[in-house]
């Protein structure tokens, strides 16, 4: 299993970024996928989940409708569109594969750093 995030970087407050996560080594369309983030010096913070066919999506309250998760099963890629970014969104963003239960994340990428600063 390999998960590779991309699309991170420096953005000003109010700006937007789209993260991507390229998946390989497993049947991508058979598993739900998550985004999780970790701000500097803090613990892991779950962001969002999308079911294997994209029919159900859930977000943490911290996203406040600013983030959109999506997936392209043909491309085996997970996305996170982030709009109206705030300084508190600064974090390393990880994509993670669900295990047999969506509450379990059994494989993680190495993360993409998002820095929101003027």
């Amino acid at each position: 299993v390999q998960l590779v995030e991309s699309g991170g970087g420096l953005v000003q407050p109010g700006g937007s970024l789209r993260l991507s996560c390229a998946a390989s080594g497993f049947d991508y369309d058979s598993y739900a996928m998550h985004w999780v983030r970790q701000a500097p010096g803090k613990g892991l913070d779950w962001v969002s989940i999308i079911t294997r066919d994209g029919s159900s999506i859930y977000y943490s309250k911290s996203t406040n409708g600013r983030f959109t998760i999506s997936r392209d099963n043909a491309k085996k890629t997970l996305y996170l569109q982030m709009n109206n970014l705030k300084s508190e969104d600064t974090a390393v963003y990880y994509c993670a594969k669900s295990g047999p239960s969506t509450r379990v994340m059994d494989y993680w990428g190495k993360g993409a750093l998002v820095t929101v600063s003027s």
Side-chain angles (χ1 to χ4, degrees):
V1 174
Q2 190 172 18
L3 299 168
V4 180
E5 300 92 341
S6 61
L10 174 64
V11 62
Q12 292 185 343
S16 297
L17 277 179
R18 188 176 82 154
L19 301 181
S20 299
C21 172
S24 62
F26 66 103
D27 291 331
Y28 179 72
D29 56 4
S30 295
Y31 294 92
M33 296 292 294
H34 300 260
W35 286 102
V36 181
R37 66 186 179 182
Q38 186 170 28
K42 297 189 177 181
L44 294 172
D45 178 30
W46 176 81
V47 174
S48 182
I49 182 174
I50 184 169
T51 51
R52 58 184 182 176
D53 61 357
S55 60
S56 294
I57 290 172
Y58 301 94
Y59 299 97
S60 71
K61 291 182 179 180
S62 62
T63 64
N64 285 324
R66 299 177 295 118
F67 292 5
T68 302
I69 190 172
S70 62
R71 65 190 294 163
D72 185 331
N73 285 349
K75 294 183 178 179
K76 298 185 179 181
T77 302
L78 177 72
Y79 302 99
L80 185 68
Q81 176 68 43
M82 304 183 291
N83 298 326
N84 191 22
L85 283 161
K86 304 176 181 181
S87 58
E88 52 263 42
D89 296 316
T90 295
V92 177
Y93 285 73
Y94 300 93
C95 66
K97 170 187 169 291
S98 281
S101 166
T102 57
R103 295 185 179 187
V104 174
M105 302 172 211
D106 56 3
Y107 289 92
W108 296 65
K110 293 184 178 180
L113 176 63
V114 172
T115 303
V116 184
S117 176
S118 55

